[in-house]
């Protein structure tokens, strides 16, 4: 009989310890280290067999030059935005982890996709959190075709694998990985060891049988995927469905993808018929007022493989109580503080006694540096209470010495702005196109002081 071993594991990040302690030194959280009992790694039998050929069937050593380069066939989900985030469609034998806050629409999106896919390929939907009746009621409410989709209510991984081996589905959805459990792991479902063992068991099955595996996962309070970090290393694609409960729009972002671009973004609208894809995201994020307002400007960000126009707003007001606040929604707050220092040093604008609030309209999160120049332009506009032209678009990175640095895909950004009716663009000089864009006046700048001067002349 296999000898059981005891370990102490952090339920937040999965760090292992030889004895219990109050604080996890890896993620700095308190009271998250708990005792976990499992089967020893030297144990033979079912556990040893489970991880043989984890990445697929066992094969002999061969030269890299002899490996087949045939392109893997992809299966479309029927939603262009979903396919975009996945890298062009589903790949056989891939494991996809979808995370998101409760109520974001993870189960709804997957149910929509798998119901339409079941008409052409065998599909099995395994639910562990909801009853079959609840899933059926949701499908009926959304008006989905339910005739070909097979359902299973199960939380045991061993039982799930037995059913999958008999049914032989090409697409397997497990909702969710936090409620699944493996019999020979002595811990509660949802614990670090159970999530790790269950995901490894299911991923191995998907690799060896060529099944497309979808795992639904929860998120922590800070919005990151729950469970051990090794969970993200096991799977091939990690996607996150974001969106607040008071907003009708949801964004699906690729965090990791072995078959496509990372940070690809798909936009969906939550309607009574479920999630409907938005094929032109720039149009919904540019719903501006008829009159120009101070502190508002449009920037062009690059999301995955396409440009997207987003409005950024800034509000600069006299600080109350002598403690100026710096609040950024959709942007990095540390970068905001850094850019304000650059604005003071190289732009001659003193805002140390002012509250500064910035917001990216539509709930979009901007992670790239191309928003620097547009952010400072919105702050200058609000501080001087002077509206910028509504046909103006801005992008560019601002360096610590006040230089305006170029950003990737400048020509594509300008073309996207021109396509939506913008006639003026304030861009880094290195991004200025050699050939004039029809209907677009490009204003190239090299320094922050030049950019501020150009804004005053508009």
């Amino acid at each position: 009989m296999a000898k059981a071993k005891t370990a102490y594991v952090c339920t937040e990040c999965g760090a292992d310890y030889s004895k219990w302690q109050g604080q996890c030194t890896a993620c700095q959280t308190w009271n998250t280290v708990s005792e976990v009992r499992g089967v020893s790694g030297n144990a033979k039998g079912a556990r040893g067999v489970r991880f043989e050929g984890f990445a697929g069937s066992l094969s002999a050593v061969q030269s890299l030059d002899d490996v087949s380069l045939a392109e893997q066939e992809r299966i479309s989900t029927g939603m262009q935005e979903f396919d975009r985030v996945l890298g062009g469609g589903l790949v056989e034998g891939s494991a996809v982890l979808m995370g998101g806050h409760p109520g974001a629409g993870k189960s709804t999106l997957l149910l929509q996709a798998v119901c339409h896919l079941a008409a052409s390929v065998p599909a099995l939907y395994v639910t562990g959190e909801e009853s079959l009746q609840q899933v059926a009621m949701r499908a009926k409410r959304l008006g989905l075709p339910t005739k070909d989709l097979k359902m299973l209510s199960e939380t045991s991984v061993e039982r799930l694998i037995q059913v999958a081996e008999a049914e032989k589905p090409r697409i397997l959805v497990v909702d969710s990985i936090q409620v699944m459990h493996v019999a020979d792991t002595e811990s509660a479902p949802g614990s670090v060891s159970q999530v790790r063992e269950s995901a490894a068991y299911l991923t191995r099955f998907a690799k060896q049988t060529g099944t497309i595996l979808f795992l639904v996962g929860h998120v922590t309070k800070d919005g990151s995927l729950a469970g051990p970090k090794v969970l993200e290393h096991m799977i091939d694609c990690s996607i996150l469905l974001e969106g607040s409960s008071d907003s009708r729009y949801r964004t699906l972002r690729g965090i990791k993808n072995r078959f496509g671009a990372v940070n690809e973004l798909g936009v969906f609208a939550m309607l009574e018929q479920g999630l409907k894809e938005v094929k032109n995201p720039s149009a919904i994020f540019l719903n501006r007022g008829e009159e120009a307002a101070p502190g508002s400007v449009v920037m062009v960000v690059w999301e995955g493989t396409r440009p997207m126009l987003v409005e950024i707003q800034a509000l600069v007001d006299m600080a109350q109580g002598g403690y100026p606040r710096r609040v950024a929604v959709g942007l990095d707050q540390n970068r905001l503080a850094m850019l304000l220092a650059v604005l003071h040093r190289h732009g001659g604008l003193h805002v140390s006694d002012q509250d500064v609030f910035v917001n990216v309209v539509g709930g979009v999160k901007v992670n790239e540096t191309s928003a620097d120049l547009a952010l400072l332009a919105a702050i200058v506009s609000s501080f001087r209470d002077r509206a910028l032209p509504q046909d103006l678009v801005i992008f560019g990175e601002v360096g610590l010495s006040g230089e305006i640095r170029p950003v990737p895909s400048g020509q594509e950004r300008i073309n996207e702005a021109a396509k939506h009716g913008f006639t003026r663009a304030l861009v880094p000089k290195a991004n200025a196109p050699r050939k004039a864009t029809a209907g677009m006046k490009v204003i190239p700048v090299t320094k922050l002081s030049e950019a501020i001067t150009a804004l005053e002349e508009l």
Side-chain angles (χ1 to χ4, degrees):
M1 182 176 177
K3 182 180 179 181
K5 65 176 183 178
T6 301
Y8 296 89
V9 181
C10 174
T11 57
E12 287 290 329
C13 66
D16 294 317
Y17 299 96
S18 58
K19 60 181 181 180
W20 184 87
Q21 56 190 48
Q23 183 185 28
C24 174
T25 56
C27 63
Q28 306 301 319
T29 54
W30 287 89
N31 301 322
T32 57
V33 179
S34 58
E35 181 180 356
V36 175
R37 297 194 178 192
V39 180
S40 172
N42 297 324
K44 304 295 182 182
R47 189 180 192 278
V49 174
R50 186 191 312 162
F51 297 107
E52 289 183 2
F54 177 78
S57 58
L58 297 173
S59 60
V61 177
Q62 56 180 321
S63 171
L64 181 61
D65 188 55
D66 297 332
V67 177
S68 174
L69 298 179
E71 187 173 351
Q72 292 177 301
E73 179 186 0
R74 293 182 182 267
I75 302 175
S76 175
T77 61
M79 302 180 183
Q80 293 183 7
E81 292 295 300
F82 202 176
D83 290 342
R84 176 189 291 274
V85 177
L86 293 172
L90 300 170
V91 179
E92 290 188 358
S94 62
V96 181
L97 175 63
M98 176 182 286
H101 289 282
K106 304 181 298 295
S107 301
T108 300
L109 181 60
L110 283 178
L111 185 61
Q112 287 181 237
V114 76
C115 278
H116 288 93
L117 285 168
S120 56
V121 295
L124 176 63
Y125 192 105
V126 181
T127 172
E129 294 185 343
E130 299 177 293
S131 66
L132 296 180
Q133 185 181 14
Q134 289 175 313
V135 179
M137 291 174 62
R138 180 190 297 122
K140 183 179 180 180
R141 185 175 67 251
L142 300 177
L144 300 176
T146 58
K147 180 181 179 181
D148 300 311
L149 179 61
K150 297 182 179 180
M151 299 292 300
L152 174 66
S153 179
E154 186 59 67
T155 58
S156 171
V157 174
E158 289 86 354
R159 169 62 180 159
L160 189 159
I161 295 298
Q162 290 178 0
V163 175
E165 289 176 344
E167 297 291 338
K168 294 181 172 55
R170 291 188 64 187
I171 300 175
L172 176 62
V173 178
V174 179
D175 186 6
S176 69
I177 188 61
Q178 269 77 20
V179 299
M180 306 305 293
H181 64 88
V182 180
D184 55 7
T185 300
E186 298 180 6
S187 58
S191 63
V192 171
S193 57
Q194 281 287 9
V195 171
R196 181 174 56 223
E197 296 290 317
S198 300
Y201 206 152
L202 291 168
T203 303
R204 170 186 173 271
F205 170 79
K207 297 291 183 183
Q208 293 190 342
T209 59
T211 305
I212 300 169
L213 174 65
F214 275 103
L215 300 176
V216 178
H218 298 167
V219 294
T220 58
K221 290 182 291 184
D222 61 354
S224 59
L225 286 166
K229 199 66 180 177
V230 70
L231 180 59
E232 296 184 41
H233 295 285
M234 291 179 184
I235 48 90
D236 300 307
C237 182
S238 176
I239 55 181
L240 195 63
L241 188 63
E242 302 170 313
S244 57
S245 57
D246 58 347
S247 173
R248 62 178 295 192
Y249 295 107
R250 304 288 190 268
T251 56
L252 185 66
R253 184 182 298 274
I255 308 299
K256 169 190 175 181
N257 195 350
R258 290 173 178 163
F259 306 108
V262 182
N263 282 333
E264 192 68 75
L265 187 72
V267 182
F268 297 86
M270 179 65 80
L271 306 175
E272 293 182 359
Q273 297 78 22
L275 287 166
K276 183 179 180 181
E277 56 184 335
V278 178
K279 298 183 179 179
N280 187 11
S282 296
I284 66 171
F285 296 131
L286 292 180
N287 190 14
R288 310 174 73 187
E290 295 182 359
E291 297 183 2
S296 173
V297 70
V298 173
M299 59 183 177
V300 189
V301 297
W302 195 265
E303 292 290 350
T305 58
R306 65 178 173 184
M308 188 167 66
L309 275 68
V310 180
E311 180 186 358
I312 185 171
Q313 295 179 332
L315 175 62
V316 181
D317 193 19
M318 182 64 68
Q320 303 296 324
Y323 295 97
R325 300 182 62 191
R326 306 287 187 258
V327 179
V329 179
L331 293 162
D332 185 8
Q333 191 158 334
N334 293 327
R335 191 163 189 85
L336 170 62
M338 182 186 72
L339 290 174
L340 290 176
V342 176
L343 182 62
H344 176 230
R345 179 69 178 270
H346 301 286
L349 203 65
H350 183 70
V351 294
S352 61
D353 59 343
Q354 304 284 321
D355 287 333
V356 180
F357 305 91
V358 295
N359 174 48
V360 181
V361 177
V364 179
K365 293 183 179 180
V366 179
N367 300 317
E368 63 169 355
T369 57
S370 66
D372 292 351
L373 187 56
L375 171 60
L376 292 182
I379 292 174
V380 172
S381 172
S382 177
F383 181 74
R384 295 182 173 172
D385 197 23
R386 181 180 176 183
L388 296 174
Q390 287 197 314
D391 63 345
L392 175 67
V393 67
I394 302 176
F395 64 85
E397 179 182 353
V398 179
L400 291 179
S401 58
E403 79 277 12
I404 308 300
R405 306 175 66 88
V407 297
S409 308
Q411 182 64 62
E412 289 80 359
R413 296 174 195 250
I414 294 175
N415 293 340
E416 180 72 11
K419 188 170 63 176
H420 285 82
F422 290 86
T423 59
R424 286 179 279 186
L426 185 67
V427 303
K429 186 176 182 179
N431 285 131
R434 296 181 180 179
K435 294 181 63 178
T437 304
M440 175 69 72
K441 179 184 177 182
V442 177
I443 306 172
V445 291
T446 57
K447 297 181 179 179
L448 180 59
S449 57
E450 293 180 13
I452 295 177
T453 302
L455 291 173
E456 292 174 348
E457 295 174 353
L458 292 175

